[in-house]
Amino acid sequence: MRLDGKAALITGGNSGIGLATARVFVEQGAKVAITGRDQATLDEAVASLGPNALAFRADIMDAAANEAAIRAAGEAFGHLDIVVANAGIAGGTPVGGTSAEQFGRILTTNVTGVFLTVQAAAPYLRQGASVVLIGSVHAVLGMPGYAAYAASKGAVSSLGRVLASELATAGVRVNVVVPGATRTPIWSRFGRGPNALAEMEPAMVRAVPSGRISEVAEIANTILFLASDDATNITAAEIVVDGGLTGAPSGAPIYRG
Ligand code: NDP
Protein backbone atom coordinates (compact mmCIF):
# COMPACT_ATOMS: atom_id res chain seq x y z
CA MET A 1 0.00 0.00 0.00
CA ARG A 2 1.31 3.41 -1.00
CA LEU A 3 0.65 5.26 2.30
CA ASP A 4 1.23 2.44 4.76
CA GLY A 5 1.55 3.82 8.31
CA LYS A 6 1.34 7.47 7.27
CA ALA A 7 -0.74 10.04 9.17
CA ALA A 8 -2.71 12.54 7.08
CA LEU A 9 -4.78 15.66 7.69
CA ILE A 10 -7.32 16.76 5.09
CA THR A 11 -9.23 20.01 5.57
CA GLY A 12 -12.72 19.87 4.06
CA GLY A 13 -12.63 16.07 4.22
CA ASN A 14 -16.39 15.65 4.57
CA SER A 15 -17.33 16.45 0.96
CA GLY A 16 -16.22 16.29 -2.67
CA ILE A 17 -12.50 16.16 -3.44
CA GLY A 18 -11.49 16.04 0.25
CA LEU A 19 -13.75 13.09 1.03
CA ALA A 20 -12.62 11.19 -2.09
CA THR A 21 -9.01 11.83 -1.07
CA ALA A 22 -9.67 10.60 2.48
CA ARG A 23 -11.16 7.43 0.98
CA VAL A 24 -8.14 6.77 -1.26
CA PHE A 25 -5.73 7.53 1.61
CA VAL A 26 -7.45 5.05 3.95
CA GLU A 27 -7.50 2.41 1.20
CA GLN A 28 -3.76 2.96 0.80
CA GLY A 29 -3.04 2.35 4.50
CA ALA A 30 -3.05 5.87 5.98
CA LYS A 31 -4.65 7.13 9.17
CA VAL A 32 -6.67 10.21 8.25
CA ALA A 33 -8.00 13.20 10.20
CA ILE A 34 -10.60 15.29 8.39
CA THR A 35 -11.98 18.72 9.21
CA GLY A 36 -15.09 20.58 8.08
CA ARG A 37 -17.94 22.67 9.43
CA ASP A 38 -20.87 20.33 9.13
CA GLN A 39 -21.02 17.82 12.00
CA ALA A 40 -23.54 15.56 10.24
CA THR A 41 -21.38 15.01 7.14
CA LEU A 42 -18.25 14.72 9.31
CA ASP A 43 -19.96 11.90 11.23
CA GLU A 44 -21.14 10.21 8.01
CA ALA A 45 -17.67 10.46 6.52
CA VAL A 46 -15.97 8.92 9.54
CA ALA A 47 -18.54 6.12 9.64
CA SER A 48 -17.92 5.29 5.99
CA LEU A 49 -14.13 5.66 6.19
CA GLY A 50 -13.82 3.25 9.12
CA PRO A 51 -11.58 2.98 12.18
CA ASN A 52 -8.55 4.75 10.65
CA ALA A 53 -10.43 8.04 10.32
CA LEU A 54 -11.03 10.85 12.83
CA ALA A 55 -13.02 14.06 12.41
CA PHE A 56 -12.49 17.46 14.01
CA ARG A 57 -15.13 20.11 13.46
CA ALA A 58 -13.78 23.61 12.80
CA ASP A 59 -14.67 26.60 10.67
CA ILE A 60 -11.55 27.77 8.87
CA MET A 61 -12.83 31.36 9.17
CA ASP A 62 -12.26 30.95 12.93
CA ALA A 63 -8.46 30.87 13.03
CA ALA A 64 -8.25 29.72 16.65
CA ALA A 65 -10.74 26.88 16.15
CA ASN A 66 -8.99 25.74 12.96
CA GLU A 67 -5.60 25.78 14.70
CA ALA A 68 -7.03 23.81 17.65
CA ALA A 69 -8.48 21.17 15.28
CA ILE A 70 -5.16 20.77 13.49
CA ARG A 71 -3.28 20.53 16.80
CA ALA A 72 -5.80 17.89 17.94
CA ALA A 73 -5.15 15.87 14.76
CA GLY A 74 -1.38 16.19 15.21
CA GLU A 75 -1.62 15.11 18.87
CA ALA A 76 -3.95 12.20 18.02
CA PHE A 77 -1.42 10.73 15.57
CA GLY A 78 1.74 12.10 17.27
CA HIS A 79 2.90 13.61 13.96
CA LEU A 80 1.68 14.30 10.41
CA ASP A 81 3.18 12.94 7.16
CA ILE A 82 0.62 14.49 4.81
CA VAL A 83 -1.45 17.69 4.87
CA VAL A 84 -4.02 18.37 2.16
CA ALA A 85 -5.20 21.99 2.53
CA ASN A 86 -8.33 21.41 0.48
CA ALA A 87 -11.18 23.28 2.21
CA GLY A 88 -12.41 26.08 -0.01
CA ILE A 89 -15.44 27.96 -1.26
CA ALA A 90 -16.40 29.32 -4.65
CA GLY A 91 -18.95 32.02 -5.43
CA GLY A 92 -19.42 34.97 -7.74
CA THR A 93 -18.16 38.47 -6.94
CA PRO A 94 -19.12 40.57 -9.98
CA VAL A 95 -17.98 44.17 -10.38
CA GLY A 96 -20.78 46.38 -9.10
CA GLY A 97 -22.49 43.78 -6.96
CA THR A 98 -19.99 42.65 -4.37
CA SER A 99 -19.54 43.67 -0.75
CA ALA A 100 -16.24 43.71 1.10
CA GLU A 101 -17.62 40.94 3.28
CA GLN A 102 -18.35 38.65 0.29
CA PHE A 103 -14.94 39.28 -1.25
CA GLY A 104 -13.17 38.87 2.07
CA ARG A 105 -14.94 35.63 2.95
CA ILE A 106 -13.56 33.92 -0.18
CA LEU A 107 -10.03 35.24 0.37
CA THR A 108 -10.03 34.41 4.09
CA THR A 109 -11.24 30.86 3.50
CA ASN A 110 -9.17 30.04 0.42
CA VAL A 111 -5.94 31.93 1.14
CA THR A 112 -5.54 32.86 4.80
CA GLY A 113 -7.14 29.54 5.79
CA VAL A 114 -4.67 27.57 3.68
CA PHE A 115 -1.67 29.46 5.09
CA LEU A 116 -2.84 29.13 8.70
CA THR A 117 -3.58 25.42 8.17
CA VAL A 118 -0.04 24.73 6.99
CA GLN A 119 1.39 26.93 9.74
CA ALA A 120 -0.56 25.07 12.43
CA ALA A 121 0.44 21.69 10.98
CA ALA A 122 4.12 22.58 10.55
CA PRO A 123 5.29 21.55 14.06
CA TYR A 124 3.91 18.06 13.42
CA LEU A 125 5.41 17.57 9.94
CA ARG A 126 8.26 15.09 9.86
CA GLN A 127 11.21 14.95 7.46
CA GLY A 128 9.81 13.63 4.16
CA ALA A 129 6.29 14.96 4.78
CA SER A 130 4.15 16.17 1.89
CA VAL A 131 1.81 19.16 1.78
CA VAL A 132 -0.69 19.43 -1.08
CA LEU A 133 -2.64 22.63 -1.78
CA ILE A 134 -5.66 22.79 -4.08
CA GLY A 135 -5.61 25.56 -6.68
CA SER A 136 -7.99 26.01 -9.61
CA VAL A 137 -7.91 26.73 -13.33
CA HIS A 138 -9.82 29.91 -12.40
CA ALA A 139 -6.42 31.40 -11.52
CA VAL A 140 -5.69 31.72 -15.25
CA LEU A 141 -9.10 31.68 -16.97
CA GLY A 142 -10.11 35.29 -16.40
CA MET A 143 -13.72 34.22 -16.12
CA PRO A 144 -16.04 37.24 -15.66
CA GLY A 145 -17.70 37.53 -12.25
CA TYR A 146 -15.15 35.47 -10.31
CA ALA A 147 -12.53 38.03 -9.25
CA ALA A 148 -12.26 36.89 -5.62
CA TYR A 149 -12.22 33.17 -6.39
CA ALA A 150 -9.70 33.57 -9.22
CA ALA A 151 -7.48 35.80 -7.09
CA SER A 152 -7.69 33.36 -4.20
CA LYS A 153 -6.59 30.43 -6.35
CA GLY A 154 -3.80 32.45 -7.99
CA ALA A 155 -2.68 33.16 -4.45
CA VAL A 156 -2.73 29.45 -3.60
CA SER A 157 -0.27 28.80 -6.42
CA SER A 158 1.98 31.59 -5.11
CA LEU A 159 1.67 30.27 -1.55
CA GLY A 160 2.71 26.83 -2.78
CA ARG A 161 6.01 28.16 -4.11
CA VAL A 162 6.80 30.19 -0.97
CA LEU A 163 5.90 27.35 1.38
CA ALA A 164 7.94 24.90 -0.72
CA SER A 165 11.07 26.97 -0.22
CA GLU A 166 10.31 27.83 3.39
CA LEU A 167 9.62 24.23 4.45
CA ALA A 168 12.46 22.75 2.39
CA THR A 169 14.75 23.21 5.40
CA ALA A 170 12.51 20.80 7.32
CA GLY A 171 12.55 18.26 4.47
CA VAL A 172 8.89 18.92 3.69
CA ARG A 173 7.60 18.98 0.09
CA VAL A 174 4.81 21.37 -0.95
CA ASN A 175 2.92 21.01 -4.24
CA VAL A 176 -0.31 22.28 -5.79
CA VAL A 177 -2.98 20.27 -7.60
CA VAL A 178 -4.93 22.49 -10.00
CA PRO A 179 -8.30 20.98 -10.89
CA GLY A 180 -10.56 22.06 -13.69
CA ALA A 181 -14.30 21.54 -13.30
CA THR A 182 -14.86 18.47 -11.13
CA ARG A 183 -18.10 16.74 -10.16
CA THR A 184 -18.61 17.72 -6.47
CA PRO A 185 -21.28 19.41 -4.33
CA ILE A 186 -19.49 22.78 -4.70
CA TRP A 187 -21.58 23.51 -7.81
CA SER A 188 -24.87 23.46 -5.92
CA ARG A 189 -23.72 25.53 -2.95
CA PHE A 190 -24.29 29.29 -2.68
CA GLY A 191 -27.89 29.26 -3.81
CA ARG A 192 -27.25 27.90 -7.30
CA GLY A 193 -29.69 25.04 -6.77
CA PRO A 194 -29.18 21.28 -7.00
CA ASN A 195 -29.13 21.16 -10.83
CA ALA A 196 -26.50 23.83 -11.36
CA LEU A 197 -23.80 21.49 -12.66
CA ALA A 198 -26.20 19.48 -14.85
CA GLU A 199 -27.37 22.74 -16.44
CA MET A 200 -23.87 24.11 -17.08
CA GLU A 201 -22.03 20.92 -17.96
CA PRO A 202 -23.03 20.53 -21.66
CA ALA A 203 -21.76 24.01 -22.55
CA MET A 204 -18.73 23.80 -20.26
CA VAL A 205 -17.35 20.56 -21.70
CA ARG A 206 -17.31 22.02 -25.23
CA ALA A 207 -14.25 24.04 -24.10
CA VAL A 208 -12.41 20.98 -22.73
CA PRO A 209 -10.21 18.95 -25.12
CA SER A 210 -11.07 15.71 -23.28
CA GLY A 211 -14.74 16.60 -23.74
CA ARG A 212 -15.68 16.12 -20.10
CA ILE A 213 -15.21 17.36 -16.56
CA SER A 214 -13.19 15.42 -13.94
CA GLU A 215 -14.52 12.89 -11.48
CA VAL A 216 -13.34 13.26 -7.86
CA ALA A 217 -11.27 10.07 -8.01
CA GLU A 218 -9.12 11.62 -10.75
CA ILE A 219 -8.21 14.53 -8.46
CA ALA A 220 -7.81 12.28 -5.41
CA ASN A 221 -5.41 9.98 -7.28
CA THR A 222 -3.27 12.97 -8.28
CA ILE A 223 -3.16 14.12 -4.65
CA LEU A 224 -2.25 10.54 -3.67
CA PHE A 225 0.69 10.57 -6.09
CA LEU A 226 2.08 13.84 -4.64
CA ALA A 227 1.48 12.64 -1.07
CA SER A 228 3.19 9.30 -1.64
CA ASP A 229 6.82 8.24 -1.80
CA ASP A 230 6.44 8.04 -5.60
CA ALA A 231 6.95 11.83 -5.58
CA THR A 232 9.87 12.15 -3.13
CA ASN A 233 11.82 14.69 -5.21
CA ILE A 234 8.83 16.70 -6.42
CA THR A 235 8.31 20.01 -4.65
CA ALA A 236 7.07 23.45 -5.73
CA ALA A 237 5.28 21.78 -8.65
CA GLU A 238 1.77 22.17 -9.97
CA ILE A 239 -0.16 19.33 -11.56
CA VAL A 240 -3.09 20.52 -13.64
CA VAL A 241 -6.01 18.06 -13.94
CA ASP A 242 -8.37 19.77 -16.37
CA GLY A 243 -8.69 17.60 -19.49
CA GLY A 244 -6.49 20.08 -21.40
CA LEU A 245 -8.69 23.14 -20.80
CA THR A 246 -5.82 25.50 -19.99
CA GLY A 247 -2.89 23.79 -21.73
CA ALA A 248 -4.40 22.91 -25.08
CA PRO A 249 -7.60 24.94 -25.50
CA SER A 250 -7.42 24.67 -29.32
CA GLY A 251 -8.13 20.95 -29.03
CA ALA A 252 -11.57 21.58 -27.51
CA PRO A 253 -14.74 20.35 -29.24
CA ILE A 254 -15.79 23.97 -29.74
CA TYR A 255 -12.96 24.34 -32.32
CA ARG A 256 -13.54 21.06 -34.14
CA GLY A 257 -15.19 21.08 -37.54
P1 NDP B 1 -17.14 20.86 -1.75
O1 NDP B 1 -18.06 22.00 -1.61
O2 NDP B 1 -17.68 19.51 -2.07
O3 NDP B 1 -16.21 20.71 -0.46
C1 NDP B 1 -15.65 21.84 0.16
C2 NDP B 1 -15.11 21.40 1.49
O4 NDP B 1 -14.51 22.52 2.13
C3 NDP B 1 -16.20 20.88 2.40
O5 NDP B 1 -15.71 19.76 3.09
C4 NDP B 1 -16.45 22.04 3.35
O6 NDP B 1 -16.87 21.63 4.64
C5 NDP B 1 -15.06 22.64 3.43
N1 NDP B 1 -15.13 24.03 3.83
C6 NDP B 1 -15.60 25.07 3.12
N2 NDP B 1 -15.56 26.18 3.85
C7 NDP B 1 -15.05 25.83 5.05
C8 NDP B 1 -14.78 26.52 6.25
N3 NDP B 1 -15.03 27.86 6.38
N4 NDP B 1 -14.27 25.85 7.29
C9 NDP B 1 -14.03 24.52 7.19
N5 NDP B 1 -14.26 23.80 6.10
C10 NDP B 1 -14.79 24.44 5.05
O7 NDP B 1 -16.11 21.32 -2.87
P2 NDP B 1 -14.94 20.60 -3.68
O8 NDP B 1 -14.64 19.27 -3.16
O9 NDP B 1 -15.27 20.79 -5.09
O10 NDP B 1 -13.75 21.61 -3.34
C11 NDP B 1 -12.54 21.23 -2.71
C12 NDP B 1 -11.46 22.19 -3.17
O11 NDP B 1 -11.26 22.02 -4.58
C13 NDP B 1 -11.77 23.66 -2.95
O12 NDP B 1 -10.60 24.34 -2.52
C14 NDP B 1 -12.18 24.14 -4.33
O13 NDP B 1 -11.96 25.52 -4.52
C15 NDP B 1 -11.27 23.29 -5.20
N6 NDP B 1 -11.68 23.16 -6.59
C16 NDP B 1 -12.87 22.54 -6.92
C17 NDP B 1 -13.23 22.43 -8.26
C18 NDP B 1 -14.52 21.79 -8.69
O14 NDP B 1 -14.94 21.95 -9.87
N7 NDP B 1 -15.21 21.04 -7.82
C19 NDP B 1 -12.37 22.94 -9.34
C20 NDP B 1 -11.15 23.56 -8.87
C21 NDP B 1 -10.83 23.65 -7.55
P3 NDP B 1 -18.44 21.75 5.05
O15 NDP B 1 -19.18 20.90 4.04
O16 NDP B 1 -18.49 21.18 6.42
O17 NDP B 1 -18.78 23.19 4.94
Coordinates of all heavy atoms in Angstrom, one line a residue, residues 12-18 35-38 41 58-61 86-89 109-110 134-136 149 153 179-182 184-187 189, ligand 1:
G12 N -11.6 20.1 5.0 CA -12.7 19.9 4.1 C -12.8 18.4 3.6 O -13.0 18.1 2.4
G13 N -12.6 17.5 4.6 CA -12.6 16.1 4.2 C -14.0 15.4 4.3 O -14.1 14.2 4.2
N14 N -15.0 16.2 4.5 CA -16.4 15.6 4.6 C -17.2 15.8 3.3 O -18.4 15.6 3.3 CB -17.1 16.3 5.8 CG -17.1 17.8 5.8 OD1 -16.2 18.4 5.1 ND2 -18.0 18.4 6.5
S15 N -16.6 16.2 2.2 CA -17.3 16.5 1.0 C -16.4 16.4 -0.2 O -15.2 16.6 -0.1 CB -18.0 17.8 1.0 OG -18.7 18.1 -0.1
G16 N -16.9 16.1 -1.4 CA -16.2 16.3 -2.7 C -14.8 15.7 -2.8 O -14.6 14.6 -2.5
I17 N -13.9 16.6 -3.2 CA -12.5 16.2 -3.4 C -11.8 15.7 -2.1 O -11.1 14.7 -2.1 CB -11.7 17.3 -4.1 CG1 -12.2 17.6 -5.5 CG2 -10.2 17.1 -4.0 CD1 -11.7 18.9 -6.1
G18 N -12.1 16.4 -1.0 CA -11.5 16.0 0.2 C -11.9 14.7 0.7 O -11.1 13.9 1.2
T35 N -11.3 17.6 8.6 CA -12.0 18.7 9.2 C -13.1 19.2 8.3 O -13.1 18.9 7.1 CB -11.0 19.9 9.5 OG1 -10.7 20.5 8.3 CG2 -9.8 19.5 10.2
G36 N -14.0 20.0 8.8 CA -15.1 20.6 8.1 C -16.0 21.3 9.1 O -15.7 21.3 10.3
R37 N -17.0 21.9 8.5 CA -17.9 22.7 9.4 C -19.2 21.9 9.8 O -19.7 22.1 10.9 CB -18.4 23.9 8.7 CG -17.4 25.0 8.5 CD -18.0 26.1 7.6 NE -18.2 25.6 6.2 CZ -18.6 26.4 5.2 NH1 -18.7 27.6 5.4 NH2 -18.8 25.8 4.0
D38 N -19.6 21.0 9.0 CA -20.9 20.3 9.1 C -20.7 19.0 9.9 O -20.2 18.0 9.3 CB -21.5 20.1 7.7 CG -22.8 19.4 7.8 OD1 -23.6 19.7 8.7 OD2 -23.1 18.6 6.9
T41 N -22.2 15.6 8.2 CA -21.4 15.0 7.1 C -20.0 14.6 7.6 O -19.4 13.6 7.1 CB -21.3 15.9 5.9 OG1 -20.8 17.2 6.3 CG2 -22.6 16.0 5.2
A58 N -14.3 22.2 12.6 CA -13.8 23.6 12.8 C -14.1 24.4 11.6 O -14.0 23.9 10.4 CB -12.3 23.6 13.0
D59 N -14.5 25.7 11.8 CA -14.7 26.6 10.7 C -13.3 27.3 10.4 O -12.8 27.9 11.3 CB -15.8 27.6 11.1 CG -16.1 28.6 9.9 OD1 -15.3 28.7 9.0 OD2 -17.2 29.1 9.9
I60 N -12.9 27.2 9.2 CA -11.5 27.8 8.9 C -11.5 29.3 9.0 O -10.5 29.9 9.2 CB -11.2 27.3 7.4 CG1 -9.9 26.5 7.5 CG2 -11.0 28.4 6.5 CD1 -9.6 25.7 6.3
M61 N -12.7 29.9 9.0 CA -12.8 31.4 9.2 C -12.5 31.7 10.6 O -12.2 32.9 10.9 CB -14.3 31.8 8.9 CG -14.7 31.7 7.4 SD -14.1 33.0 6.4 CE -15.0 34.4 6.9
N86 N -7.3 21.5 1.6 CA -8.3 21.4 0.5 C -9.6 22.3 0.7 O -10.2 22.7 -0.3 CB -8.7 19.9 0.4 CG -10.1 19.7 -0.3 OD1 -10.1 19.7 -1.5 ND2 -11.1 19.5 0.5
A87 N -9.9 22.6 2.0 CA -11.2 23.3 2.2 C -11.2 24.6 1.4 O -10.2 25.3 1.4 CB -11.3 23.6 3.7
G88 N -12.3 24.8 0.8 CA -12.4 26.1 0.0 C -13.8 26.3 -0.4 O -14.7 25.4 -0.4
I89 N -14.1 27.6 -0.8 CA -15.4 28.0 -1.3 C -15.3 28.7 -2.6 O -14.3 29.3 -2.9 CB -16.2 28.8 -0.3 CG1 -15.4 30.1 0.1 CG2 -16.6 28.0 1.0 CD1 -16.2 31.1 0.9
T109 N -11.1 32.3 3.5 CA -11.2 30.9 3.5 C -10.1 30.2 2.6 O -9.5 29.3 3.1 CB -12.6 30.4 2.9 OG1 -13.6 31.1 3.7 CG2 -12.8 28.9 3.0
N110 N -10.0 30.7 1.4 CA -9.2 30.0 0.4 C -7.7 30.4 0.5 O -6.9 29.6 0.0 CB -9.7 30.4 -1.0 CG -11.1 29.8 -1.3 OD1 -11.7 29.2 -0.4 ND2 -11.6 30.0 -2.5
I134 N -4.7 23.0 -2.9 CA -5.7 22.8 -4.1 C -5.9 24.2 -4.7 O -6.6 25.0 -4.1 CB -7.0 22.1 -3.6 CG1 -6.7 20.9 -2.8 CG2 -7.8 21.8 -4.9 CD1 -6.0 19.8 -3.5
G135 N -5.4 24.3 -5.9 CA -5.6 25.6 -6.7 C -6.9 25.4 -7.5 O -7.8 24.7 -7.2
S136 N -6.9 26.1 -8.7 CA -8.0 26.0 -9.6 C -7.6 26.6 -10.9 O -6.8 27.6 -11.0 CB -9.2 26.8 -9.1 OG -10.2 26.9 -10.1
Y149 N -12.6 34.6 -6.3 CA -12.2 33.2 -6.4 C -10.9 33.0 -7.2 O -10.0 32.3 -6.8 CB -13.4 32.3 -7.0 CG -13.1 30.9 -6.9 CD1 -13.0 30.2 -5.7 CD2 -13.0 30.1 -8.1 CE1 -12.8 28.8 -5.7 CE2 -12.7 28.8 -8.1 CZ -12.6 28.1 -6.8 OH -12.4 26.7 -6.8
K153 N -7.3 31.6 -5.9 CA -6.6 30.4 -6.4 C -5.2 30.8 -7.0 O -4.3 30.0 -6.9 CB -7.5 29.7 -7.3 CG -8.7 29.1 -6.6 CD -8.3 28.1 -5.5 CE -9.4 27.4 -4.8 NZ -9.0 26.4 -3.8
P179 N -7.2 21.6 -10.2 CA -8.3 21.0 -10.9 C -9.0 21.9 -11.8 O -9.2 23.1 -11.5 CB -9.3 20.5 -9.8 CG -8.6 20.8 -8.5 CD -7.6 21.9 -8.8
G180 N -9.5 21.4 -12.9 CA -10.6 22.1 -13.7 C -11.9 21.6 -13.1 O -11.9 21.0 -12.0
A181 N -13.0 21.9 -13.8 CA -14.3 21.5 -13.3 C -14.3 20.1 -12.9 O -13.9 19.2 -13.7 CB -15.3 21.8 -14.4
T182 N -14.8 19.8 -11.7 CA -14.9 18.5 -11.1 C -16.2 18.3 -10.5 O -16.8 19.2 -9.9 CB -13.7 18.3 -10.1 OG1 -12.5 18.7 -10.7 CG2 -13.7 16.9 -9.5
T184 N -18.5 17.7 -7.9 CA -18.6 17.7 -6.5 C -19.8 18.6 -6.1 O -20.3 19.4 -6.9 CB -17.3 18.3 -5.8 OG1 -17.4 19.8 -6.0 CG2 -16.1 17.8 -6.4
P185 N -20.2 18.6 -4.8 CA -21.3 19.4 -4.3 C -21.0 20.9 -4.4 O -21.9 21.7 -4.2 CB -21.5 19.0 -2.9 CG -20.9 17.6 -2.8 CD -19.7 17.6 -3.8
I186 N -19.8 21.3 -4.7 CA -19.5 22.8 -4.7 C -20.4 23.5 -5.7 O -20.8 24.7 -5.5 CB -18.0 23.1 -5.0 CG1 -17.5 24.4 -4.4 CG2 -17.7 23.0 -6.5 CD1 -16.0 24.6 -4.5
W187 N -20.8 22.9 -6.8 CA -21.6 23.5 -7.8 C -23.0 23.9 -7.3 O -23.6 24.8 -7.9 CB -21.7 22.6 -9.0 CG -20.3 22.4 -9.6 CD1 -19.5 21.4 -9.3 CD2 -19.7 23.2 -10.6 NE1 -18.3 21.5 -10.1 CE2 -18.4 22.6 -10.9 CE3 -20.1 24.3 -11.3 CZ2 -17.5 23.1 -11.8 CZ3 -19.2 24.9 -12.2 CH2 -17.9 24.3 -12.5
R189 N -23.7 24.7 -4.1 CA -23.7 25.5 -3.0 C -24.0 27.0 -3.4 O -24.0 27.3 -4.6 CB -22.4 25.4 -2.2 CG -22.1 24.0 -1.7 CD -20.9 24.0 -0.7 NE -20.4 22.7 -0.4 CZ -20.3 22.3 0.9 NH1 -20.7 23.0 1.9 NH2 -19.8 21.1 1.1
Ligands
NDP1 P1 -17.1 20.9 -1.7 O1 -18.1 22.0 -1.6 O2 -17.7 19.5 -2.1 O3 -16.2 20.7 -0.5 C1 -15.7 21.8 0.2 C2 -15.1 21.4 1.5 O4 -14.5 22.5 2.1 C3 -16.2 20.9 2.4 O5 -15.7 19.8 3.1 C4 -16.4 22.0 3.3 O6 -16.9 21.6 4.6 C5 -15.1 22.6 3.4 N1 -15.1 24.0 3.8 C6 -15.6 25.1 3.1 N2 -15.6 26.2 3.9 C7 -15.1 25.8 5.1 C8 -14.8 26.5 6.2 N3 -15.0 27.9 6.4 N4 -14.3 25.8 7.3 C9 -14.0 24.5 7.2 N5 -14.3 23.8 6.1 C10 -14.8 24.4 5.0 O7 -16.1 21.3 -2.9 P2 -14.9 20.6 -3.7 O8 -14.6 19.3 -3.2 O9 -15.3 20.8 -5.1 O10 -13.8 21.6 -3.3 C11 -12.5 21.2 -2.7 C12 -11.5 22.2 -3.2 O11 -11.3 22.0 -4.6 C13 -11.8 23.7 -3.0 O12 -10.6 24.3 -2.5 C14 -12.2 24.1 -4.3 O13 -12.0 25.5 -4.5 C15 -11.3 23.3 -5.2 N6 -11.7 23.2 -6.6 C16 -12.9 22.5 -6.9 C17 -13.2 22.4 -8.3 C18 -14.5 21.8 -8.7 O14 -14.9 21.9 -9.9 N7 -15.2 21.0 -7.8 C19 -12.4 22.9 -9.3 C20 -11.2 23.6 -8.9 C21 -10.8 23.6 -7.6 P3 -18.4 21.8 5.1 O15 -19.2 20.9 4.0 O16 -18.5 21.2 6.4 O17 -18.8 23.2 4.9

